[in-house]
Amino acid sequence: MVAAEHIQLARELFQRAYHLQMEGELDLAIAMYKRSIAAHPTAEAYTFLGWTYRFQGKIDAAIEECKKAIEVDPTLGNPYNDIGSYLIELGKHEEAIPWLEKAIVSKRYEAYHFAWYNLGRVHIQQDLYKGARECFEKALAIEPRYTLAKEALDRLRRLVQ
């Protein structure tokens, strides 16, 4: 199979995996993401494989897949944010910061507001309310309809009245 065919096959397998994941067929999605990666590794496939592991509660495996994504394409912001988010889930707020900061400055990312929101969550845990407010406001400046950031900002305002 020539390179173009591998790339096309990988895309098709990735799309199937994503649909399976959204339907809750996590084991099948994992198998399909792995087939996609075998055909042609992409940062997106590794990142979404990690996301699927996270849905199964396998946070360490999710983090490892995101690190593989970064090896393939260090410009993609998603795996940095996802690692930060997973570390927050594990209560490792301080460890999450550098990952979220890398997401914020990444060259290729369609959802910078997620990283700003997650960094705001870390600041809340550190009682850095001014920094948290700034992060939530930046998230909303990027995506004004981002409900989680709006709710977090409202809670923060009530907290520091």
Side-chain angles (χ1 to χ4, degrees), residues 15-149:
Q15 288 301 319
R16 285 190 221 155
Y18 179 78
H19 290 298
L20 287 165
Q21 180 180 355
M22 293 300 104
E23 292 171 4
E25 297 288 345
L26 301 181
D27 290 332
L28 291 173
I30 288 168
M32 201 65 60
Y33 282 128
K34 288 181 177 180
R35 287 183 58 201
S36 174
I37 291 165
H40 180 76
T42 64
E44 290 82 359
Y46 280 118
T47 301
F48 278 73
L49 175 57
W51 194 30
T52 308
Y53 282 138
R54 186 258 168 246
F55 285 146
Q56 292 183 323
K58 300 174 183 175
I59 304 295
D60 291 334
I63 291 171
E64 288 309 308
E65 295 305 324
C66 287
K67 288 179 179 178
K68 291 176 188 175
I70 292 165
E71 288 176 21
V72 171
D73 182 359
T75 69
L76 182 65
N78 302 65
Y80 296 106
N81 177 68
D82 290 359
I83 290 173
S85 176
Y86 302 150
L87 290 169
I88 291 169
E89 281 187 56
L90 294 173
K92 298 178 178 182
H93 299 94
E94 193 68 32
E95 288 180 45
I97 294 171
W99 296 101
L100 298 171
E101 289 174 342
K102 287 177 183 175
I104 288 166
V105 299
S106 64
K107 292 181 182 176
R108 199 165 70 86
Y109 194 24
E110 295 177 13
Y112 291 100
H113 58 287
F114 291 151
W116 282 111
Y117 168 74
N118 284 325
L119 189 56
R121 291 171 56 203
V122 170
H123 288 322
I124 291 281
Q125 291 299 316
Q126 297 174 325
D127 296 327
L128 300 172
Y129 300 129
K130 181 180 180 216
R133 179 180 48 80
E134 291 170 358
C135 289
F136 297 142
E137 288 173 347
K138 286 180 183 179
L140 288 168
I142 295 165
E143 177 49 70
R145 296 170 294 162
Y146 189 34
T147 306
L148 291 175

